[in-house]
Amino acid sequence: MTAASVPNAAPALLPADTSIDWNRITRFGGLLALGLVFISLAGMPLGLNQRTVIEPVLSLGYLALMWLPFLAGYNVGNEIVLEGMEATKKGPRDLLGGLIVGAIGGVGLSILVLLIDNFDLRDPLVNWSPQLLEFLNFENGVGFGSWIWIPFCGLLGLAGASLQLMSQTMRRAVMTVILAVIVLSVFEFLIIDIVDPLKKVLYAQQGGLKWGAAIVVAILAAAFSLFGREPISQVRSNYNDATGPEKSRQTAVLIGLSVLALIVIPMFTGKITQELLANVGIFLLLALGLNIVVGLAGILDLGYVAFFAVGGYTTAVLTSSNRGEDWPSWFPSEIHWVLALIATVIMAGIVGLIIGAPVIRMRGDYLAIVTLGFGEIIRLLFLSDWLNGYFNGAQGITNIPPADFGIFEIKGTDPRSVFYLVLFFAAISIYVSWRLERSRLGRAWMAIREDESVAEAMGINTVNVKLMAFVVGAVLASFSGAIFATKVGSIFPTSFLILVSIIILVVVIVGGMGNIVGVIVGAFVLIGVLGGPKQPGLLQEFSEYKLLIYGALLIWMMLKRPEGLVPNARRSRELHQDEFLQDAWLKGEVDDAVPDSGDVDGTVAPA
Amino acid sequence: MFPLTSAVQVKGSRRTTVDWFLVLIRVVLISLIVVGILAFIAQQIDPENAFAKWRNPGANRLTAAQFKGLVVTGLSQGAMYGLIALGYSMVYGVLGFINFAHGEVFMLGAFTGFVTSNKLAEAGLWEGAAFLPSVIMTAILAALIATGAAVLMERVAYRPLRGSPRLIPLITSIGVSFFIQNAVILLFGPGAKSYPSNPEWLQQKRSILTFEVEGTKILVLIVAAISMAGLWFFVERTKTGKAMRAVAEDKEIASLMGINVDRTIVTTFAVGGAMAGIAGILWGLLFRSVIATTGFLPGIKAFTAAVVGGVGNLGGAMAGGVSLGTAEATAPLVLLEPLGVDGVSQLRDAVAFTLLILVLLIKPTGLFGERLSSEDRA
Amino acid sequence: MTRLLDIQNLSVTFGGLHALKDLNFHVDEGEIVGVIGPNGAGKTTFFNMISGMVTPSSGQILFEGESMIGLDPNQVTQRGISRTFQNVRLFANMTILENVMVAQHCRTSRGVWGSLLNTKGFRQEEKEIREHGEKVLGFFGSRLIGYRMDQPASVLSYANRRRLEIARAMATKPKLLLLDEPVAGMNPMESAELTDLIGKLRSEWGFTIVMIEHDMDVVRDVSDRVVVLDHGETLAQGSFDEVSTNPEVIEAYLGRPLEKRK
C-alpha cells in the first residue's frame, strides 16, 4: 500500500550522460547521406527545380534536399531520456552533433558528385545525368560541387540543432516563419485563385515569392507567433473548458461557420480550386466510409476500392448511352441520376454483403489480404473480355450524362456544382458516422475492436454487427462512385486500382482512425496538397513523387503516431496503452495503489 | 466435421443466415469446378461431345504435349512462388504478421539480376560456358541485395513495432511495399526492363520422362530445389535454425533460454530475403522482363502458397507454391475455357486471387498444418 | 424448484485429450453452486462449454429444457446465461459506463435507422440502457459510479475490474450467472464483501449462480451445493461439509499418500 507514495518520494535521479554519442551521430549521418543520395537519384531536385520558392534565392529543388539535414540536425540531439535519469540539458554538444551529422550527409552528396562526374551509370539509373551534376554543382563546376555540400549541409544541421537550444517561444516563432514562407509559396495557385490582386504584390512573374515579400511574410509570421498566439490559445482553452449546452452551442457555431465557408469559398475561386475541392470531396467521402470500417469497427479492408468501383459502374451502366451491348433490352438505361443513385446504393449494399459474408469471420490480417484480392478481382472482371459486352473492358463506359436537377445541373465541366453535391453527401456521411458512433451499433463496433470473443460472449452477434459496418462503408463509398462517374463523364477500370484503397487508408490513418474531424483534415491536407491517385493536388510538381510520399507517410505514421494527426482519444489510448497507464498513474487517476477499503459505500476516489 | 466448414469455425450444427450464404457460395463454386472439369474431360474424349459443346461451342481437344507444357510451366513458376512463400511463412511463424513488403524484396532481387546480367552480357559473359558461373554470381548478388533490403526493413520499420496490435505491422508493411515500389520507379524509371536473352543451349528443349522441358525451366527447378535443400538444412540442422524454431514457438521462453531473439528474427528476415532474391533471378530467367510492380502479384500468390502449405511450415510452403503454380497454369484452359469464359489468359490473376480467397475461406490452416505459437494463432 | 441447467454426459476432447469426460451436472433455479477442483481440472473448459465458446464432442446441455449445443456464445447470452472471465477481460478502452451499456446489446433492438433519425423509440431505449447500466454499477456502491463512469476501464484497480466484470455480466440481464473465480486477487476484506454481494445477487436480483472459486471460505459461505471436478470428471458433489470431508476430494487436492500408490 505504501507503494502509492513512491512518486512523491522519488529517489535521486542518475545524472544524465553528457558524453558525445558518436555512435548515434555516425548512424544519423550515414542515414542522412543515404537519404540525400536517394532523393537526388530519385530525381526530386531536378523535377522540382522548375518551381521557385523565393525568387531568386531558393527553388523547390534545393529545398527538397535542404530539409533533410535540417531535420537530422534537429533530431540528433533529441535523445530518449531513460527512466531514472535526469533529462539531458541541451548544449554545445548538440550543436556539434548537428554540424557533424550534416557534414557527413554532405559527404554523401560530394561522393555522388564525384561518381557522376567519373562514371556513367545512366543505364539503370535514369537520373544519373549531367543535369543532376550541374544542379549539385550549383552550376559552378565539379571543383566547387565536390566540396560545397559538406559545409552547406553541416550548417543546415547546425541550424537544425540550434532549434533545440532555443526557448519554446523562439522555436515556435522560427517554425512558424519557415512554414509561413513555404506554405505561401507552395500554395501560390490557390492563393492567387482566391485573392487575385495578391499576385502582383507577393509573387514574381515566373512564380515564387518575391524576396521582399518573403521578408515581409517572415516578419509578419514571427510577430504573429510571438504576440498573436495568446488570444488564440485563449479562445481555444475557452472552447475546451466549456461544458454542457455552452460547449454544444460553440460546436454548432464552429460547424456552421466551416460549412458556410465551404459553401461561400468556391463562389469566388477559379476552376482550379473548384476542381481541387471536388476531388478532395470525392476522396473525403471514401475516407469517411473507410473510417467506419477501419476506424470504428477495426476491420482492415484493403479492397475498399471495390465499392467505389461498383458505385461508379452501376451509375455508369444505368445512365450512360454508351454502355456495353449485351445488356438485355428490358434493363433500365439512361435513367435519371437520382434513380441511378438509389440503385447504386442498393447494389453497393448487396456487393458489401457478398464480399463481407465470406470474410467476416477471418482473423484480421487474412481478412485484409482477402479483401485486397476481392478488390483486384472486381477490377479484373470489369476489365476482362469475358464481360466486355457489359462493361466495355479497357475502353470503359463513356457518355455519362450530367445529373440534371431542373434548375441546376451537376457536370464535370462545372466542378463547383460537383463540389456542392459532394458537400451534401459528405454532410450525410458525417452525420451517419457521428450518429452511429454514439449508438448501440457504435458501442458494439468498439467492443469488437477491443476483444472480439468477449464481445461475442456479452451477447453481441459479431457477424451481423461487422457485416453492418461493411455495408454502411460500402454504401458511403458508392455515393462517391456515383458522383465520380458523373463528374468524369466516363469510367475506366484503371481508376480503381488497389492503390486507391491504400491512399484512402493513408488518409484515414494520417487523419486519425475513428475520428471524423481527423479524416476531414487528412483528406484536405493529403488529397488537397499531394493529390489523389490520378488527380493532381496543389503541388502538381509532386505528382511523380506523391505515391512515394504516401508510402513514407504510412510508415512514419505507424511508427511515430499510429493514432493520427487528430487522434481519437480512445484509439490513441488503445495504441499507447502502456504510456497512458503510466501517465494516469502519475496523475493519480489509476486506483491500483489506493487502499481499497472493505466498506461498500466508502468512496475510493484518489485524492 | 465436414471439412469445408472448419474454416469459418462454425461452432455447431445450427447455422445462421451467413453460414447458409457461405454454404451456398461453396456449393456454387464447387459445382462450377466440377462442371468445368467434367466438361474438360468430355472435350478430351470427344470435342464434339454435347456436354463439351454446351458452354464452350469452340471446344477443342488439348494435346498431351500441350497439357504437359502447362504442367511444366506451372511447376517452374510454382517453384518460384514456393521460394518467395518461404519468407512469408517464416516471418509469419516467428513474428505473427504478414510482411506485405516481401514481394518487393523479391522484386529487388529481380532488379539486381537485371542490372548485373546486363553488365555481364555487355562483357560477353552471359553465354556459352561462362553463363552458369555468371548466373550463380548474379544469384548470389541478388540474394545479398534482397537480404540487405529485408534486414533493413526489419530494423527500420518492424522492430519498433514489436508487441503492437497485429494490424499495425501489417499496415506498416503495406507502406514499406508502396515506398519500395515507387522508389524503384523513381530510380530506374517506370518502364519494363529486359534481361539479356538466355544462351541457345539453355533454351533448347530436353526430354525428361516424356516431358519436353525447356532448359530454362529445368534450371529454375534445379536452383529452387538446391535453395530449398539448403534452407531445410539450415533450419533443421544448425543451431541458428533451432533458435529460429524456438523463437517461433515462444519468444519469451526462447529468450530465457539464452537465445538472442533480436538476432534470430533478423536471421529469419535475412534467410527469407535471400530466398526471395534467388526467386527474383529465376523470374528474370523465365520471363526476361521486370518492372517495379513485378513484386505485387507473385507476392500475393506466394502468400497464398504459404497459406496453402500451412503458415510456418516450410515444406508446406514449397508444396503450396508448386500446387498453386500448377493450378494457376492449368486452370484457365482446364476449367475456365470448358465453362465458356472468354479471354481466359486475362483471368489468370483473377484465378490466383480466387484461389487465395477459396483457401482462406475453406482451409485457412493450410493443407499441411500450421506451425504457429499459441499467441499468434488467436 | 425447477431445473434451470441440466448437463448430461458431457465430454470434450482436445486432440485426443479428455478435458471433460462424461460430466453430469445440474443447477436448479435460485441455487448457488460452487465448482471447485485442482488446477487443470477442466473448470474453465466447463464454463467455456456452457457459454458456447467451445463445442462439446458429445453430451447434452439443456437450459430451461432446451438444448444449447451448437449455439454461438452470443445466442447463449441471449438465452440468459452470462459469464465473467478468470483473467478479467474488460473492454479496457471503453468507459466504465460503456462497458455495461454494450452488454445490453442483445436485450435491445434499435438499429441504424433509429439512431440516424434519432427517433423517440431510440432515445427512449438509449435512456433505458443508460439507466440500467447505472443501476448495475450502483450495485457495487459508489466505486463505479459518479465521475468514474466516464473513465476508461483500464484505470480501474484489479478488484474494481473484477467488480466491473460482474456488473457487465449482470447488465446482460441473465437468468444464470457464471462467475469464474470472482474473488481471485482480492484481499480478505474485499472478498468477504464480494461474498455478501454474491448472496445479494440471488436474493435481490434473482440470479442463479454457478461459481468457480479457489477460496474455500467464499465457497463455504455462499454455495448451496459444491461440485468437485478432477481430470474432467465429477469427483463428488453435495453440501460443502460433505464434500470437504470426502477422502477422494482430499486426495485430489493433496495427492495420494505414498503407500497407496500402485
Side-chain angles (χ1 to χ4, degrees), chain A residues 527-544:
Chain A
I527 307 295
V529 177
L530 288 175
K534 285 195 158 53
Q535 297 74 7
L538 273 178
L539 289 178
Q540 280 164 5
E541 290 83 356
F542 266 82
S543 49
E544 223 178 304

PDB file of all heavy atoms in Angstrom, chain A residues 527-544:
ATOM      1  N   ILE A 527      -5.097  14.871 -49.990  1.00  0.00           N
ATOM      2  CA  ILE A 527      -5.615  14.906 -51.358  1.00  0.00           C
ATOM      3  C   ILE A 527      -5.487  16.323 -51.913  1.00  0.00           C
ATOM      4  O   ILE A 527      -5.149  16.534 -53.074  1.00  0.00           O
ATOM      5  CB  ILE A 527      -7.086  14.442 -51.404  1.00  0.00           C
ATOM      6  CG1 ILE A 527      -7.232  13.094 -50.731  1.00  0.00           C
ATOM      7  CG2 ILE A 527      -7.574  14.390 -52.844  1.00  0.00           C
ATOM      8  CD1 ILE A 527      -6.531  11.980 -51.403  1.00  0.00           C
ATOM      9  N   GLY A 528      -5.723  17.309 -51.049  1.00  0.00           N
ATOM     10  CA  GLY A 528      -5.641  18.689 -51.497  1.00  0.00           C
ATOM     11  C   GLY A 528      -4.231  19.075 -51.887  1.00  0.00           C
ATOM     12  O   GLY A 528      -4.014  19.703 -52.919  1.00  0.00           O
ATOM     13  N   VAL A 529      -3.262  18.702 -51.085  1.00  0.00           N
ATOM     14  CA  VAL A 529      -1.897  19.143 -51.349  1.00  0.00           C
ATOM     15  C   VAL A 529      -1.181  18.186 -52.292  1.00  0.00           C
ATOM     16  O   VAL A 529      -0.621  18.585 -53.307  1.00  0.00           O
ATOM     17  CB  VAL A 529      -1.113  19.284 -50.027  1.00  0.00           C
ATOM     18  CG1 VAL A 529       0.322  19.661 -50.321  1.00  0.00           C
ATOM     19  CG2 VAL A 529      -1.769  20.351 -49.164  1.00  0.00           C
ATOM     20  N   LEU A 530      -1.197  16.901 -51.955  1.00  0.00           N
ATOM     21  CA  LEU A 530      -0.443  15.941 -52.764  1.00  0.00           C
ATOM     22  C   LEU A 530      -1.239  15.444 -53.961  1.00  0.00           C
ATOM     23  O   LEU A 530      -0.695  15.166 -55.005  1.00  0.00           O
ATOM     24  CB  LEU A 530      -0.027  14.746 -51.902  1.00  0.00           C
ATOM     25  CG  LEU A 530       1.067  15.010 -50.893  1.00  0.00           C
ATOM     26  CD1 LEU A 530       1.280  13.779 -50.044  1.00  0.00           C
ATOM     27  CD2 LEU A 530       2.354  15.378 -51.590  1.00  0.00           C
ATOM     28  N   GLY A 531      -2.545  15.299 -53.773  1.00  0.00           N
ATOM     29  CA  GLY A 531      -3.381  14.818 -54.857  1.00  0.00           C
ATOM     30  C   GLY A 531      -3.793  13.376 -54.665  1.00  0.00           C
ATOM     31  O   GLY A 531      -3.200  12.642 -53.879  1.00  0.00           O
ATOM     32  N   GLY A 532      -4.839  12.983 -55.388  1.00  0.00           N
ATOM     33  CA  GLY A 532      -5.337  11.603 -55.316  1.00  0.00           C
ATOM     34  C   GLY A 532      -4.517  10.716 -56.226  1.00  0.00           C
ATOM     35  O   GLY A 532      -3.512  11.146 -56.778  1.00  0.00           O
ATOM     36  N   PRO A 533      -4.950   9.456 -56.422  1.00  0.00           N
ATOM     37  CA  PRO A 533      -4.180   8.512 -57.227  1.00  0.00           C
ATOM     38  C   PRO A 533      -3.881   9.062 -58.626  1.00  0.00           C
ATOM     39  O   PRO A 533      -2.797   8.882 -59.137  1.00  0.00           O
ATOM     40  CB  PRO A 533      -5.088   7.293 -57.298  1.00  0.00           C
ATOM     41  CG  PRO A 533      -6.248   7.553 -56.438  1.00  0.00           C
ATOM     42  CD  PRO A 533      -6.155   8.882 -55.831  1.00  0.00           C
ATOM     43  N   LYS A 534      -4.852   9.676 -59.244  1.00  0.00           N
ATOM     44  CA  LYS A 534      -4.618  10.218 -60.583  1.00  0.00           C
ATOM     45  C   LYS A 534      -4.862  11.720 -60.626  1.00  0.00           C
ATOM     46  O   LYS A 534      -4.522  12.378 -61.600  1.00  0.00           O
ATOM     47  CB  LYS A 534      -5.570   9.536 -61.577  1.00  0.00           C
ATOM     48  CG  LYS A 534      -5.168   8.135 -61.917  1.00  0.00           C
ATOM     49  CD  LYS A 534      -5.909   7.673 -63.135  1.00  0.00           C
ATOM     50  CE  LYS A 534      -5.227   6.541 -63.830  1.00  0.00           C
ATOM     51  NZ  LYS A 534      -4.895   5.388 -63.047  1.00  0.00           N
ATOM     52  N   GLN A 535      -5.475  12.249 -59.593  1.00  0.00           N
ATOM     53  CA  GLN A 535      -5.851  13.652 -59.606  1.00  0.00           C
ATOM     54  C   GLN A 535      -4.718  14.489 -59.030  1.00  0.00           C
ATOM     55  O   GLN A 535      -4.194  14.163 -57.968  1.00  0.00           O
ATOM     56  CB  GLN A 535      -7.119  13.867 -58.764  1.00  0.00           C
ATOM     57  CG  GLN A 535      -8.340  13.148 -59.273  1.00  0.00           C
ATOM     58  CD  GLN A 535      -8.313  11.654 -59.033  1.00  0.00           C
ATOM     59  OE1 GLN A 535      -7.432  11.130 -58.362  1.00  0.00           O
ATOM     60  NE2 GLN A 535      -9.275  10.951 -59.601  1.00  0.00           N
ATOM     61  N   PRO A 536      -4.328  15.551 -59.712  1.00  0.00           N
ATOM     62  CA  PRO A 536      -3.255  16.376 -59.170  1.00  0.00           C
ATOM     63  C   PRO A 536      -3.740  17.178 -57.971  1.00  0.00           C
ATOM     64  O   PRO A 536      -4.923  17.511 -57.858  1.00  0.00           O
ATOM     65  CB  PRO A 536      -2.919  17.305 -60.338  1.00  0.00           C
ATOM     66  CG  PRO A 536      -4.159  17.352 -61.152  1.00  0.00           C
ATOM     67  CD  PRO A 536      -4.837  16.036 -60.979  1.00  0.00           C
ATOM     68  N   GLY A 537      -2.820  17.459 -57.063  1.00  0.00           N
ATOM     69  CA  GLY A 537      -3.151  18.316 -55.933  1.00  0.00           C
ATOM     70  C   GLY A 537      -2.531  19.681 -56.148  1.00  0.00           C
ATOM     71  O   GLY A 537      -2.177  20.045 -57.269  1.00  0.00           O
ATOM     72  N   LEU A 538      -2.408  20.428 -55.073  1.00  0.00           N
ATOM     73  CA  LEU A 538      -1.817  21.753 -55.195  1.00  0.00           C
ATOM     74  C   LEU A 538      -0.372  21.670 -55.645  1.00  0.00           C
ATOM     75  O   LEU A 538       0.103  22.491 -56.414  1.00  0.00           O
ATOM     76  CB  LEU A 538      -1.862  22.466 -53.839  1.00  0.00           C
ATOM     77  CG  LEU A 538      -3.129  23.223 -53.532  1.00  0.00           C
ATOM     78  CD1 LEU A 538      -3.031  23.821 -52.158  1.00  0.00           C
ATOM     79  CD2 LEU A 538      -3.350  24.308 -54.565  1.00  0.00           C
ATOM     80  N   LEU A 539       0.336  20.669 -55.152  1.00  0.00           N
ATOM     81  CA  LEU A 539       1.736  20.511 -55.524  1.00  0.00           C
ATOM     82  C   LEU A 539       1.808  19.669 -56.785  1.00  0.00           C
ATOM     83  O   LEU A 539       2.133  18.487 -56.738  1.00  0.00           O
ATOM     84  CB  LEU A 539       2.511  19.841 -54.394  1.00  0.00           C
ATOM     85  CG  LEU A 539       2.737  20.682 -53.166  1.00  0.00           C
ATOM     86  CD1 LEU A 539       3.460  19.877 -52.124  1.00  0.00           C
ATOM     87  CD2 LEU A 539       3.550  21.904 -53.517  1.00  0.00           C
ATOM     88  N   GLN A 540       1.491  20.278 -57.907  1.00  0.00           N
ATOM     89  CA  GLN A 540       1.444  19.477 -59.126  1.00  0.00           C
ATOM     90  C   GLN A 540       2.798  18.889 -59.454  1.00  0.00           C
ATOM     91  O   GLN A 540       2.892  17.792 -59.993  1.00  0.00           O
ATOM     92  CB  GLN A 540       0.956  20.346 -60.281  1.00  0.00           C
ATOM     93  CG  GLN A 540      -0.538  20.483 -60.246  1.00  0.00           C
ATOM     94  CD  GLN A 540      -1.036  21.609 -61.111  1.00  0.00           C
ATOM     95  OE1 GLN A 540      -0.275  22.240 -61.819  1.00  0.00           O
ATOM     96  NE2 GLN A 540      -2.314  21.865 -61.034  1.00  0.00           N
ATOM     97  N   GLU A 541       3.870  19.617 -59.098  1.00  0.00           N
ATOM     98  CA  GLU A 541       5.206  19.111 -59.397  1.00  0.00           C
ATOM     99  C   GLU A 541       5.475  17.816 -58.640  1.00  0.00           C
ATOM    100  O   GLU A 541       6.323  17.034 -59.023  1.00  0.00           O
ATOM    101  CB  GLU A 541       6.266  20.138 -59.005  1.00  0.00           C
ATOM    102  CG  GLU A 541       6.297  21.361 -59.878  1.00  0.00           C
ATOM    103  CD  GLU A 541       5.268  22.383 -59.454  1.00  0.00           C
ATOM    104  OE1 GLU A 541       4.494  22.091 -58.524  1.00  0.00           O
ATOM    105  OE2 GLU A 541       5.228  23.463 -60.053  1.00  0.00           O
ATOM    106  N   PHE A 542       4.730  17.624 -57.568  1.00  0.00           N
ATOM    107  CA  PHE A 542       4.988  16.468 -56.720  1.00  0.00           C
ATOM    108  C   PHE A 542       4.324  15.203 -57.236  1.00  0.00           C
ATOM    109  O   PHE A 542       4.547  14.135 -56.687  1.00  0.00           O
ATOM    110  CB  PHE A 542       4.491  16.735 -55.297  1.00  0.00           C
ATOM    111  CG  PHE A 542       5.538  17.274 -54.386  1.00  0.00           C
ATOM    112  CD1 PHE A 542       5.844  18.619 -54.379  1.00  0.00           C
ATOM    113  CD2 PHE A 542       6.236  16.432 -53.540  1.00  0.00           C
ATOM    114  CE1 PHE A 542       6.807  19.115 -53.550  1.00  0.00           C
ATOM    115  CE2 PHE A 542       7.206  16.929 -52.706  1.00  0.00           C
ATOM    116  CZ  PHE A 542       7.498  18.272 -52.709  1.00  0.00           C
ATOM    117  N   SER A 543       3.484  15.331 -58.273  1.00  0.00           N
ATOM    118  CA  SER A 543       2.645  14.177 -58.607  1.00  0.00           C
ATOM    119  C   SER A 543       3.495  12.939 -58.903  1.00  0.00           C
ATOM    120  O   SER A 543       3.071  11.826 -58.634  1.00  0.00           O
ATOM    121  CB  SER A 543       1.725  14.508 -59.772  1.00  0.00           C
ATOM    122  OG  SER A 543       2.471  15.078 -60.805  1.00  0.00           O
ATOM    123  N   GLU A 544       4.694  13.138 -59.415  1.00  0.00           N
ATOM    124  CA  GLU A 544       5.545  11.988 -59.689  1.00  0.00           C
ATOM    125  C   GLU A 544       5.968  11.308 -58.379  1.00  0.00           C
ATOM    126  O   GLU A 544       6.228  10.125 -58.338  1.00  0.00           O
ATOM    127  CB  GLU A 544       6.790  12.479 -60.414  1.00  0.00           C
ATOM    128  CG  GLU A 544       7.226  11.626 -61.574  1.00  0.00           C
ATOM    129  CD  GLU A 544       8.439  12.261 -62.219  1.00  0.00           C
ATOM    130  OE1 GLU A 544       8.350  13.450 -62.628  1.00  0.00           O
ATOM    131  OE2 GLU A 544       9.472  11.602 -62.279  1.00  0.00           O
TER     132      GLU A 544
END
